[in-house]
């Protein structure tokens, strides 16, 4: 038999390219990690709530060893912490921690948006415009997780197009905690409208290649979110302090 009969030709070569797996399938551990991370970020588990391994095994349909790996990973992301005599719990978040996160965001994001505004080409502007349109659609539906996904893509585009790859790595390490704060502020009146509107102001400045306006819009956006978070978290801290004093 002539083996050359089965050799790829110019016509068949594109079909062979379709065999390539560009996105490997998620492992069971990765799927469980993503599900539990999203559940905590979305508020399905309350801050301080115990994360019981056996219950999580039943809820996610995975083994206890997988759950333990997932909880260890989420602890490195700041979503889970180990409480004395309780074991793993959903990490508590207070204004002291939140304020530091907003400070980091201001330092990194204002620099990134300024450089993005200086360097943004047509392709970058079109991508940001598309992401904002997606964000607007999801904001009207109040879909928190898809709002977060679009928001993350918006900032990733800004950081990378501005040449801030290392800064984006830092933001990604904080992203789970940033996302928890975003969901918390999104739950307040009108934030699903005012948040995207502020991001639109950042984009408008980038579209004009105006770094000063982009910086100012970014700072205003973060400061507004910080004020909302402070209003939500500071009273809770005061309540805890008062309860401790009474004891």
């Amino acid at each position: 038999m002539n083996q050359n009969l089965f050799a790829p030709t110019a016509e068949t070569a594109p079909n062979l390219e379709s065999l390539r797996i560009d996105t490997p399938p998620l492992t069971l551990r990765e799927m469980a990690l993503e599900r539990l991370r999203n559940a905590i970020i979305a508020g399905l588990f309350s801050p301080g709530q115990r994360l019981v391994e056996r219950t999580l095994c039943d809820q996610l349909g995975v083994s206890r060893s997988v759950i333990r790996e997932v909880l260890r990973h989420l602890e490195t992301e700041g979503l889970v912490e180990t409480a004395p005599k309780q074991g793993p719990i959903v990490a508590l978040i207070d204004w002291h921690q939140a304020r530091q996160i907003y400070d980091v965001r201001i330092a990194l994001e204002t620099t990134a948006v300024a450089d993005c505004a200086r360097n943004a080409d047509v392709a970058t502007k079109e991508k940001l415009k598309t992401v904002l349109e997606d964000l607007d659609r999801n904001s009207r539906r109040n879909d928190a997780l898809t709002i977060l996904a679009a928001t993350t893509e918006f900032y990733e585009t800004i950081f990378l197009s501005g040449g801030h790859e290392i800064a984006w790595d830092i933001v990604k390490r904080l992203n789970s905690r940033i996302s928890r704060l975003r969901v918390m502020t999104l739950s307040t009146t009108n934030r699903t409208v005012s948040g995207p509107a502020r991001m639109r102001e950042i984009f408008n400045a980038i579209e004009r290649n105006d770094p000063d306006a982009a910086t100012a819009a970014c700072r205003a956006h973060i400061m507004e979110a910080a004020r909302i978070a402070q209003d939500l978290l500071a009273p809770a801290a005061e309540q805890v302090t008062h309860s401790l004093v009474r004891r």
Side-chain angles (χ1 to χ4, degrees), residues 119-150:
N119 303 323
D121 55 15
V122 173
T124 297
K125 294 173 185 178
E126 283 299 316
K127 184 172 183 180
L128 290 173
K129 181 180 179 181
T130 300
V131 173
L132 280 180
E133 289 171 352
D134 184 42
L135 180 63
D136 287 340
R137 284 191 297 271
N138 291 315
S139 296
R140 286 192 291 271
R141 293 198 296 264
N142 279 333
D143 187 342
L145 291 178
T146 51
I147 290 172
L148 291 177

Side-chain angles (χ1 to χ4, degrees), residues 26 45 112 123 126 142 153 219 226 243:
L26 294 176
F45 295 91
E126 283 299 316
N142 279 333
E153 186 176 3
R219 181 179 295 275
S243 65

